[in-house]
Amino acid sequence: MRAVRGATQLEVDERDHLLERVAEMVTGVMTSNQLEVEDFISIVFTSTSDLVSEFPAYAARRLGFGDVPLICARELEIAGSMPRVVRMMAHVETDLTRADVTHVYLHGAAALRRDLTRVHAVPDEA
């Protein structure tokens, strides 16, 4: 079992945009680590307090995570922290070593943990 992290930043707090960005993050974690829905034990999603348009877990449900335990929580409100961010920590069954797990940080959230991630697949649009 391994934990895989991901994060994405939204441009605006709009339901369709949130669902799109969270789905992109979840599928990015799956693709980067060669995972199927059946490999997921659970996922914890957090979001910053400025995101209220939808539960991030709903995006995963729409991807087929119907029987995977999912939960959403509020991120800590730390002065100066990045706004409009959804994070995830998934517990998965995999043969990957800890060093081989790819954490996925997208859009503005790529700046959060450059030390952890090898995937910056979607650059910010200029």
Side-chain angles (χ1 to χ4, degrees), residues 3-122:
V4 184
R5 298 211 29 214
T8 190
Q9 186 179 37
L10 281 66
E11 301 302 318
V12 293
D13 181 29
E14 293 177 356
R15 183 176 187 269
D16 289 342
H17 183 57
L18 183 139
L19 293 173
E20 176 184 311
R21 289 280 171 103
V22 173
E24 176 187 36
M25 175 179 60
V26 172
T27 57
V29 164
M30 295 173 73
T31 301
S32 298
N33 293 287
Q34 300 161 1
L35 298 169
E36 302 293 328
V37 172
E38 296 77 29
D39 298 322
F40 285 75
I41 297 165
S42 65
I43 306 175
V44 176
F45 291 97
T46 65
S47 63
T48 52
S49 62
D50 50 5
L51 297 177
V52 297
S53 61
E54 183 58 85
F55 291 101
Y58 181 62
R61 294 271 181 242
R62 291 175 32 156
L63 293 172
F65 285 76
D67 63 352
V68 176
L70 307 175
I71 193 166
C72 297
R74 186 63 68 202
E75 189 68 32
L76 292 174
E77 294 187 41
I78 305 299
S81 61
M82 186 178 288
R84 299 176 315 281
V85 174
V86 177
R87 293 172 172 86
M88 68 178 281
M89 182 165 52
H91 301 94
V92 300
E93 295 182 33
T94 181
D95 292 329
L96 292 173
T97 66
R98 187 175 300 184
D100 290 333
V101 169
T102 300
H103 305 280
V104 176
Y105 288 69
L106 302 174
H107 303 284
L112 291 172
R113 292 299 304 263
R114 292 192 188 281
D115 61 316
L116 283 184
T117 186
R118 291 186 299 273
V119 174
H120 301 286
V122 181

